[in-house]
Amino acid sequence: VQLQACGGGLVQARGSLRLSCAASGRTFSSYAMVWFRQAPGKEREFVAAISRSGGSTSYADSVKGRFTISRDNAKNTVYLQMNSLKPEDTAVYYCAAGGFAELAAWSMDYWGKGTQVTVSS
């Protein structure tokens, strides 16, 4: 599976962005899809995950209520709608494919290249 994330950019605080991650291959629906992010000088951290069918989601406490993950298996695409953005959301955002039971970075099977999100105050 090859993953390509896009949709990042520069936005003011309290603004919104929607990230997309398109996957190649016919096995997209076999994987849970996960968003991670990494800020300068910090470790990569979990942001949100969605199960293979889309019926279950999980969020980091820091984004709960502001971010929404969704997927369209017909389009092989996962999305991350980010609302009420804060400067501390500034990071490179990565999409990954793996299992829903273990949402750690080390357990992901495939990674996409990141997309930069910068939130100005």
Side-chain angles (χ1 to χ4, degrees):
V1 176
Q2 291 185 321
L3 305 174
Q4 179 63 54
C6 63
L10 174 64
V11 63
Q12 290 187 331
R14 295 178 298 280
S16 297
L17 279 175
R18 188 174 83 152
L19 305 183
S20 299
C21 176
S24 64
R26 293 178 287 180
T27 60
F28 176 74
S29 59
S30 298
Y31 295 92
M33 296 300 298
V34 189
W35 287 97
F36 292 85
R37 67 186 181 187
Q38 188 165 18
K42 295 187 176 182
E43 293 187 354
R44 193 168 297 190
E45 64 174 2
F46 166 78
V47 176
I50 189 166
S51 62
R52 291 177 295 175
S53 67
S56 297
T57 57
S58 179
Y59 296 92
D61 288 343
S62 58
V63 307
K64 205 170 289 184
R66 299 188 297 123
F67 290 13
T68 302
I69 189 170
S70 62
R71 68 189 295 162
D72 186 337
N73 285 346
K75 295 182 178 180
N76 282 8
T77 303
V78 61
Y79 305 96
L80 185 67
Q81 178 66 44
M82 305 185 294
N83 299 328
S84 302
L85 283 161
K86 305 175 181 180
E88 51 264 43
D89 294 318
T90 295
V92 177
Y93 284 69
Y94 299 88
C95 61
F100 195 74
E102 178 60 71
L103 297 175
W106 61 263
S107 71
M108 295 294 108
D109 296 312
Y110 301 98
W111 288 90
K113 293 183 179 179
T115 184
Q116 176 71 46
V117 172
T118 302
V119 184
S120 63
S121 57

